[in-house]
Amino acid sequence: MHRYPRWPVHVALLAVSTIMLVPFYWVLKTSLTGENIFAFPPALWPENPHPFFYVDVWYAIPFFRYLVNSVIVSVVVVAANVVLNGMAGYALTRDFPGKATTILLFLSCMMIPFQVTIIPAYLITSELGLLNSHAGMALPLSSTIVCIFIFKAAFEAIPKSLIDAARIDGVPDWMIVFRIIMPLTKPAIATNVILSFIWSWNSFLWPLVIIRDETMQTLPLGLSRFLSVVEDTTGALYAFCVMVLVPGLVIFLLAQKEFVSGLTSGATKG
Amino acid sequence: MAPRTDTAPAPKTRRRVLEGARTFASRKRTREIGLVWLFLAPSLAIFTIYRIVPLIWNGVLSFQFWSPYKPAEFAGLYHYEEMLFYDEAFWETLWNTLIFMASAPVGIALALGVALLVDTPIRGRNTYRTIVFMSYPVMTVAVGIIWQWLFNEKVGLINYVLISLGVIDQGIPFLESFTFALPAVIVASIWQVIGFYMIILLTGLQSIPPSLYEAAAIDGAGAVQRFRRITLPLIRPSLFLCFVVGIINSFTAFDLIFVMTGGGPGHATDLLVTYIYSTAFRLSKFDYAAAITVVNFLLFVALAFLANRLAGGEAGAVKPGG
Amino acid sequence: MRSPGLLKRFLITLTAMALVTAAWNVYVVLNDDGTISGRVVDGAGNPVEGAKVTLSERSLLVARPRGQTVTDAEGQFAFTGHRLHRLYLEASKEGAGRGSQREYRLYFKGQNLELEEPLQLGAGGAT
């Protein structure tokens, strides 16, 4: 099976990689050189690159404010997801009246894409007085059904005898949670963190709907606003784009394996 | 689970102990059930507030005349009538959504090719995988901006490449063109999601035992035959999962279109989800948008149901939109 | 498990970022007095006294005048306390002509700027 030459595979994969990477390169290049939209052909390599578009953007928009908003929302969402989904997932491993109904309810909620409920969700959020707030942005994302079931599966995989043994040894409950359950459900927690991070960090439609106040905007919102407000600033726009991409990409590259396994199990389990 | 007493007590006391254990157990049971509901409460509350109530509210709204400044009034099927018989934009966006969905197999086929390539035992395959996958978790708004730039009429890289290759003489304003805008958006969407398809398919490929291939090779099956007889049938669940992702994608691909074209030109790139947004939040026609949403939802459920039946009840997970 | 390695990687990255940010801020604090100094010379390279130097701000879309000063006997001029990051300097003198408007881009607002090349009169645009 492995007797064919390797180089065609490499050539093909290099071509694929080029296609996948060129868009990133192109935007990076533009952010360093700007672009004269009347010059054809466009330069393939950066000529006289300089970082001043980044300086322009930094002073043109409250980038740090956007970043902080994004971080706040993501941290709240990730923390809420881990805690709430863990709790719900644990509850579903126990027997209780109404369990079947609850599971059915969760499964049918899964069939309701959030985009479908956006209008009443907006009206409800407005009733709750959470428009223009971090809480309003975070709340709908604070629990995820897929992750509840991932947690449920992880809890069910823990041998009961282990916990019983610990109980008999007089280990207090909180210590059982931290010393036995948490380490054993680490993959589930990781999946949860990754999924909820991606969803909240990249979330756009929901903040777009409920945020009017400029100081509450998150990164994607700020980016799209900048696109629509300022049109004459090619270099600055792409510098902003790069600045928005970098935090996400850094986190992805630091935790690639976790991202891949998290996203796959998010898609396959549940 | 009541704690057991180690030594067997004398018959008389034993009964009392058992009774005590039972009340203890039942009190413990009540407490446990209370705890279970306490644990479930926050999640249930969130799903009730943001999924179930909105779904019902949305249904009610679609039969009403309502705007934030007007009290509700019963409208019957007015909105549905308008949508189905008088609103060409609705049909156009519905059609676009279906085209968008129908483009998923293209992306999946490409992803399958890449997955087969990175499944070979070559050096640096992990790097290749990372590169292909990298575009998926990236912020879609940024992806839209990048691709809008690549599709630029004058200095866009794509036009430049096409002109250099002699395919066209003059730059095409892709995103302003009625013909090319939707395909252009689809290309960007495939570029973003292909890594995800690849990873899903790769998991499928890696679950195929190598011994099957070896046996087939001994039986003299060629590469193409091995692919058709072994690979394809065995990665069916993964392929199916990719289709589900593709379907969901066509209902939720809001960010990309909002940024790249805003649904334009005309409604050439409007999907149902973007049309709903602009109807509700640009034109403040919440009631009408609610009616479109109902149709959108029914279509989604029907497709999910259909896909589920096709897969023989082997349900793929439905990723809730984020 | 991979997690310890992961945590370490994150810690290293975050610490590195914090250090770079801190160093950058220290540098900024030390160099943001907003001074601009330079010389004005005529076409032959001799210093010009009494030339008017205009400082204007270039924001993303428009340019606005922000200050004016006059050169001394050696042709030297100086501004202090500007809070700009993208600016234009232009020198002019009655009878000696106008220099072309020159653009300077700074790394942060109020960065101290010492012109390496003097502004030249009569070299650039029409009078």
Side-chain angles (χ1 to χ4, degrees), chain B residues 251-265:
Chain B
F251 280 97
T252 55
F254 175 83
D255 311 7
L256 198 63
I257 288 173
F258 183 85
V259 172
M260 279 180 80
T261 62

Side-chain angles (χ1 to χ4, degrees), chain C residues 9 12 20 48 57 60 62-63 65 68 77 92 96 119 124:
Chain C
R9 263 178 284 158
I12 291 172
V20 169
V48 178
E57 172 182 11
L60 274 175
V62 287
Q68 241 179 22
F77 70 92
S92 66
L119 300 170

Side-chain angles (χ1 to χ4, degrees), chain B residues 256-314:
Chain B
L256 198 63
I257 288 173
F258 183 85
V259 172
M260 279 180 80
T261 62
H267 290 284
T269 54
D270 249 343
L271 301 185
L272 284 170
V273 58
T274 54
Y275 188 49
I276 290 168
Y277 170 82
S278 52
T279 309
F281 296 100
R282 288 259 164 84
L283 307 175
S284 286
K285 282 156 68 176
F286 288 96
D287 41 7
Y288 185 50
I292 307 172
T293 307
V294 169
V295 173
N296 187 19
F297 174 63
L298 291 180
L299 187 67
F300 178 76
V301 171
L303 279 168
F305 186 71
L306 194 71
N308 218 350
R309 286 300 288 274
L310 285 180
E314 176 191 359

Side-chain angles (χ1 to χ4, degrees), chain A:
Chain A
M1 225 202 125
H2 308 312
R3 252 171 286 131
Y4 52 83
R6 294 283 160 71
W7 64 265
V9 178
H10 275 292
V11 169
L13 281 176
L14 281 174
V16 171
S17 306
T18 314
I19 294 173
M20 298 312 286
L21 287 179
V22 156
F24 289 115
Y25 164 73
W26 198 245
V27 76
L28 184 66
K29 190 215 87 173
T30 313
S31 76
L32 290 174
T33 60
E35 193 70 66
N36 181 355
I37 56 164
F38 302 107
F40 188 90
L44 290 185
W45 303 110
E47 285 162 8
N48 310 320
H50 61 79
F52 293 113
F53 288 118
Y54 291 86
V55 182
D56 288 350
V57 167
W58 182 263
Y59 289 117
I61 50 152
F63 180 82
F64 192 68
R65 181 77 225 181
Y66 295 160
L67 184 68
V68 168
N69 286 337
S70 265
V71 169
I72 291 176
V73 172
S74 292
V75 167
V76 169
V77 167
V78 169
N81 260 283
V82 172
V83 174
L84 299 186
N85 296 342
M87 276 161 49
Y90 177 76
L92 288 183
T93 61
R94 313 314 292 269
D95 279 323
F96 61 96
K99 180 177 173 178
T101 323
T102 313
I103 290 184
L104 193 69
L105 187 82
F106 278 141
L107 285 175
S108 37
C109 279
M110 227 154 141
M111 289 300 299
I112 311 175
F114 185 60
Q115 281 82 351
V116 160
T117 61
I118 201 95
I119 297 166
Y122 165 77
L123 300 173
I124 290 170
T125 311
S126 145
E127 291 291 315
L128 294 174
L130 291 177
L131 293 183
N132 274 325
S133 71
H134 292 128
M137 278 190 272
L139 195 57
L141 298 172
S142 293
S143 183
T144 323
I145 298 156
V146 181
C147 295
I148 292 180
F149 286 108
I150 289 173
F151 262 121
K152 176 174 179 270
F155 285 131
E156 275 165 354
I158 298 175
K160 255 211 150 70
S161 54
L162 198 64
I163 292 169
D164 288 343
R167 278 231 173 97
I168 287 166
D169 286 348
V171 182
D173 276 1
W174 62 267
M175 217 149 126
I176 292 181
V177 168
F178 282 102
R179 285 290 161 80
I180 300 174
I181 296 180
M182 287 249 295
L184 284 173
T185 52
K186 222 183 226 171
I189 296 176
T191 301
N192 218 302
V193 170
I194 299 279
L195 287 178
S196 48
F197 169 74
I198 292 180
W199 288 331
S200 55
W201 185 259
N202 295 346
S203 153
F204 176 62
L205 175 56
W206 183 239
L208 181 71
V209 167
I210 67 161
I211 299 298
R212 290 279 167 273
D213 193 348
E214 164 134 36
T215 56
M216 292 305 295
Q217 286 179 13
T218 54
L219 284 174
L221 213 51
L223 185 56
S224 86
R225 277 297 146 84
F226 193 69
L227 175 71
S228 59
V229 172
V230 203
E231 289 187 342
D232 191 30
T233 52
T234 316
L237 173 64
Y238 297 103
F240 188 10
C241 195
V242 171
M243 284 158 80
V244 168
L245 282 173
V246 162
L249 278 179
V250 166
I251 293 176
F252 166 66
L253 290 175
L254 284 175
Q256 294 173 39
K257 288 236 168 70
E258 286 74 9
F259 262 76
V260 171
S261 64
L263 278 166
T264 340
S265 58
T268 50
K269 287 180 199 160

